[in-house]
Structures are given as structure tokens and as C-alpha cells.
Amino acid sequence: GTTIGDETIEIVYFPKDNEKHYLDILLSHNDEEVVHLNGDYISGNEEPELNGEISLNRFLLGITHIFTKDAGMSLKGYVNSEVKAVGRLSELRTDGFIQFDSVYLNAPIFGTDLRFSNKNVNIKNNKISFNNFDIYAKGDSPFNLNGTVDLSKLTNPTFNLRMNASNYELINAPRTKTSMLYGKMFIDFRAFIAGALNNIKVSGNATLLGKSNITYVM
């Protein structure tokens, strides 16, 4: 019951020599190209192989509102990406980058908005690398993310992440009829995430700073 937009998919396929197949898929949103996937699929070996690329061109995150509207949150902005995938399907190697373009997470019910850094997040040999990736809330002090997420096993990725924030103004919001949280909240935060998803370990600490004055509405 919610309109996403006008979506168009164009598919081109033709077989090549030596059991290769070429595929080109183009997805457009409201007449603007947003996703392009193309490459060769090799089916003759013991295990199929792939040699292709996928690119996102200002992929609109606003379409996610159909999933988040009931939670009182919304995403704005775009994602750009170029990723190359090569190898057997069970040992696929991916390289490329992801870039957030003017991305905001709005959560007025929780009294906060988050703004993501525009810097590239690189992918090399299936590892997503965060290098001083900043997430801003209300103030000028960022939430800083460093480390990697290894996607070699998609069903069980491995994390090695460090997160830090000092004097982080997470919330600065007036009271409204729909507010769950209002006031001001400042925190210091340190955390580590390590291990595979099925055996992940999280450690750290968060300190609520004394200049905070926050109300939670039940």
C-alpha cells in the first residue's frame, strides 16, 4: 500500500563460446539508472564461476521508508558503489568500494539524527575496511569506526572493529507529542567487536557525561 516509485529492469543475455554466458542487468528508479550488473557466468567447470561487476549510481536510500516508517525512522541520501566479483561461487573474491552520499538516519522518536561520512569504504579480497569512518549526531564530535568486516563466508562474516567517541552529543531534542526521548545526552564510548557472527565477542564501556539531562517517556 506504499508507493516506491517507477521501477524498470532491462536484461540482456547471450551465450558465448566455451560454456560462457554474458548477462547485463540494468535497474532504473523513476527513469534514473541506479544499479548496473554485468559480466560472464561460466558453467562448464565442476563449480560455476563468475567474472562480473556491479555498480550503484546514486542509489536512493529513501525507498527504504516502506520498511522503516512504522519504526519512526527514515534514511535519506544515496549510495554509490563499484564492486568486481571474480572466481568460483564458493570462493568468490570481491574488490571495490562503497560510498555514502549525503546519508542521514532520522529518528525523531529517539531524539536523534545521524549523518554518515562521505569517504569511501574500500573492499579488498572480501574485506570491508573502515578507516576513521565518522558518524555525526547533533554535535561536532564524531563516532569513529575503524577495522574490517570479512565477508569471505557470507553466512558467517568475521568482525574486527573498534569504535570510539568522546563528548558525543547523541541526543539534543525538544519534547514533542511523539517523543520517546528528549533533552540532551552526551557520552564517551569505547568498544571492540571481534570474531565470527556465530561466536562474536563485544567488550567496551559507555559513560553518560554529567552535563546530560535526558527524559525517557513511558
Side-chain angles (χ1 to χ4, degrees), residues 99-134:
Q99 181 204 26
F100 296 101
D101 182 356
S102 306
V103 173
Y104 289 81
L105 172 63
N106 303 116
I109 191 172
F110 299 113
T112 192
D113 299 318
L114 300 179
R115 174 172 59 88
F116 293 77
S117 171
N118 288 340
K119 84 166 42 174
N120 285 5
V121 176
N122 293 318
I123 304 172
K124 186 175 182 179
N125 196 16
N126 302 323
K127 283 188 177 182
I128 302 175
S129 298
F130 296 92
N131 183 19
N132 287 324
F133 186 83
D134 292 330

Side-chain angles (χ1 to χ4, degrees), residues 62-188:
I63 64 175
T64 61
H65 74 281
I66 61 172
F67 305 107
T68 61
K69 62 178 182 175
D70 292 336
M73 295 184 293
S74 63
L75 277 169
K76 297 180 180 179
Y78 307 89
V79 172
N80 302 303
S81 178
E82 290 184 9
V83 177
K84 186 174 180 63
V86 179
R88 294 183 297 179
L89 294 184
S90 63
E91 299 177 350
L92 202 61
R93 171 172 175 147
T94 54
D95 298 278
F97 73 88
I98 302 170
Q99 181 204 26
F100 296 101
D101 182 356
S102 306
V103 173
Y104 289 81
L105 172 63
N106 303 116
I109 191 172
F110 299 113
T112 192
D113 299 318
L114 300 179
R115 174 172 59 88
F116 293 77
S117 171
N118 288 340
K119 84 166 42 174
N120 285 5
V121 176
N122 293 318
I123 304 172
K124 186 175 182 179
N125 196 16
N126 302 323
K127 283 188 177 182
I128 302 175
S129 298
F130 296 92
N131 183 19
N132 287 324
F133 186 83
D134 292 330
I135 302 173
Y136 291 87
K138 295 295 186 179
D140 295 327
S141 298
F143 180 98
N144 186 259
L145 181 63
N146 283 281
T148 61
V149 179
D150 191 341
L151 299 178
S152 298
K153 296 181 179 179
L154 285 175
T155 58
N156 193 29
T158 301
F159 297 83
N160 184 7
L161 296 173
R162 302 181 307 279
M163 296 167 285
N164 298 281
S166 297
N167 195 30
Y168 190 61
E169 189 177 7
L170 180 61
I171 296 173
N172 184 343
R175 182 177 184 175
T176 67
K177 292 182 179 179
T178 58
S179 293
M180 182 181 296
L181 290 168
Y182 65 89
K184 294 185 178 183
M185 177 186 285
F186 296 84
I187 62 171
D188 287 345

